[in-house]
Amino acid sequence: MADDARGRGRAPRPRHPRGPVSRGVDGRIRLLRVLVLAFFVLIGGRAVALAASSNLDELARQQQTKVVELPAPRGAIVDRHGQELAVGAPQQTVYATPSLIDDPLAAAADLSKALNITSKKEQRALVKTLSDKTSSFAFIARKADPDLAKAALALGIPGVGAYMEEERSYPMKGSAAQVIGLAGMDNNGLSGIELEYDKELAGVAGSQVVVRDTSERLLRTLEQTDPVPGADVRLTLDAEIQYMAEDVLTRTLKSSGAKSAVAVVMNPESGEILAMVNAPVVKNHVFGVHPETEDNMVTNDLYEPGSIFKMVTISGALADGTVSSDDTFTLAPSIRVADRVINESHERGTVTYSLAEILQWSSNVGAVTIAQMMGKAGLYKWIEAFHFGQASGIGFPGESSGIVPSLDQWSDSSIGNIPMGQGIAVTPLQMATAVCAVANDGVMVAPKLVLQVGDQENQTEAPTRVIPARVAKQVRKMLTKAVDAGTGQKAKIAGYKVAGKTGTSEKPLPDGSGYSKYNYVASFAGMVPADDPKLVVLVAVDSPRSSIYGGDIAAPAVREIMSFALQHLEIAP
């Protein structure tokens, strides 16, 4: 029964035993899976390794391949005869990669010895510089002597290298410093001709693509573009006349106790400036030492010209027919103009002066009398004709245009002070250029300071006629009397006829409240030979103490400068 009962239930599921064949299949599958996984791991690892290797190669390439600028040699500045006034001398700038230097203290000591760095302060600064492990570049010595730089490189300190730079030098030391100007540490023009012609002087930098090792040693040059040297700039200055005029003004300052002085020597026919002097003269023309080298008083500073301006007043009156050279004038010792009383510089009684005698004795009353005959508009026309109130065209940085009040700004008393050179402000160059127009038979030529840039001659504005030739000759004849037997006698030169005009002007007070009773500008402008002038020389002396008069202070300086220039240029009597 028991057997029958079991027979009526569900039959049990048959079980297959796991024999040797089944276990072999499973093992092969697992092995295949492992191999596939290992393959992908291998491929992925190789890809990562290749990427990492590529990045490292690129990084190494970037660290070792550099683009190095090749500075262009800066052009020279020379005088009219080619004498060097500013030149570049090859030097070596030594630098370091502080992050590559293991022992900054030892490196600093060795470099200080090689580069002749003796200052304890500079040595401490060098240790500090080389100790900065975050720095990849630092200057060790800018523009060092090439032999010293060679000694520094011979030390073999990793990360220390050098490249060529030019040091700007001025062979004539401080001569013409305010005219030439300065180039800075990076050889960029900062003032004067260096600034005005910076682009032409600078040239175009070149470049090198180089490979260096980790110690900054050059391995090879991959590519090079040569620099284009800067153009030379040739000035109109004559270095000999410039130097002589500077010596004269230096002695003038010493003997007169004056604050400063300027001189301009010009060729009236060409407008070329043979000397442009600022005194005190800079003794050593070095970057960062003399800030005053940026101020060229001849072109940038203003002064009231005083009695030299009477030449403009009388030239205009003759040109427009207000007066003639034969006219005479009865002149009291003073003249009232509106609320002002104009006196002569020296006491005298009532006189009868010719036009020539008004210039000969520099009569204030005479100049004002003639200006009143011209009228404000008539005088103003000639002030404009002589180019006062506008830039000279010389093209010098910071040049002033002067100050000329427009007619609607003239007061009732302006006709009393402007004819004798007060109430109007000019630069010494403007005044010298006006004198040149009288010397050049009435034709004004723009002043010229630069003859040539590279191979290109410098072009200037076309000459303009200011007054008729006959008037210019008449005025020169009158000015010859001023030197022969008038206020300018100390400008006489043996064997030559000199024409000239003195100037003595009160200096305006800084607060604009009037004029100083102690500070004057003493000036003189001369032309030689008087009948056909080849030279014009103007000297203006600021705040002299030995005398206030242009005839005493400036005329002797003009005579001395003229005498040298006449001989130097071989101008016959």
Side-chain angles (χ1 to χ4, degrees), residues 11 115 129 146 171 220 224 229 238 247 252 268 298 317 346 353 388 428 456 526 528:
L115 293 167
T129 296
R220 63 184 182 277
Q224 177 166 318
D238 185 307
D247 180 61
T252 298
V298 176
H346 296 82
Y353 276 169
F388 291 108
Q456 189 71 35
V528 67

Side-chain angles (χ1 to χ4, degrees), residues 421-544:
Q422 288 196 317
I424 181 174
V426 305
T427 66
L429 180 60
Q430 286 176 323
M431 195 68 246
T433 304
V435 175
C436 281
V438 175
N440 194 33
D441 284 344
V443 176
M444 179 175 284
V445 181
K448 190 172 187 177
L449 184 58
V450 174
L451 278 176
Q452 193 172 346
V453 179
D455 297 328
Q456 189 71 35
E457 290 189 7
N458 192 29
Q459 302 298 319
T460 55
E461 298 175 13
T464 57
R465 176 163 293 283
V466 180
I467 54 176
R470 62 171 179 80
V471 171
K473 291 175 181 177
Q474 289 171 347
V475 173
R476 288 204 306 271
K477 187 175 181 180
M478 296 174 190
L479 293 176
T480 302
K481 291 184 178 180
V483 174
D484 285 346
T487 58
Q489 293 183 56
K490 292 183 179 180
K492 288 182 181 179
I493 300 174
Y496 292 86
K497 277 290 184 181
V498 178
K501 183 70 190 76
T502 55
T504 303
S505 59
E506 300 169 310
K507 290 189 68 176
L509 293 170
D511 61 4
S513 61
Y515 288 89
S516 171
K517 299 300 181 184
Y518 308 101
N519 294 320
Y520 293 77
V521 174
S523 58
F524 185 85
M527 303 171 252
V528 67
D531 59 339
D532 185 18
K534 304 300 181 186
L535 284 175
V536 165
V537 179
L538 179 142
V539 168
V541 183
D542 184 4
S543 304

Side-chain angles (χ1 to χ4, degrees), residues 309 380 383-384 387-390 401-407 409-410 418 423-426 430:
F309 199 79
Y380 185 79
I383 293 173
E384 284 192 315
H387 293 191
F388 291 108
Q390 54 186 286
S401 297
I403 300 174
V404 175
S406 60
L407 269 180
Q409 294 176 317
W410 285 35
I418 291 179
I424 181 174
V426 305
Q430 286 176 323

Side-chain angles (χ1 to χ4, degrees), residues 1-88:
M1 293 212 29
D3 292 337
D4 293 340
R6 283 194 298 270
R8 289 192 294 268
R10 178 178 296 176
R13 180 179 298 172
R15 295 182 180 179
H16 301 285
R18 298 181 62 88
V21 176
S22 177
R23 285 195 301 271
V25 172
D26 289 344
R28 285 194 296 272
I29 292 173
R30 284 195 299 272
L31 179 61
L32 182 60
R33 288 174 177 172
V34 170
L35 291 174
V36 171
L37 180 60
F39 175 77
F40 280 111
V41 169
L42 181 63
I43 293 299
R46 179 60 178 166
V48 171
L50 287 172
S53 176
S54 177
N55 289 337
L56 289 172
D57 288 345
E58 177 63 18
L59 182 59
R61 189 188 67 79
Q62 290 176 356
Q63 288 177 339
Q64 294 176 357
T65 303
K66 295 184 178 181
V67 178
V68 179
E69 182 180 280
L70 300 177
R74 189 171 178 84
I77 300 174
V78 300
D79 85 336
R80 65 188 303 111
H81 302 298
Q83 183 163 335
E84 293 177 336
L85 305 176
V87 293

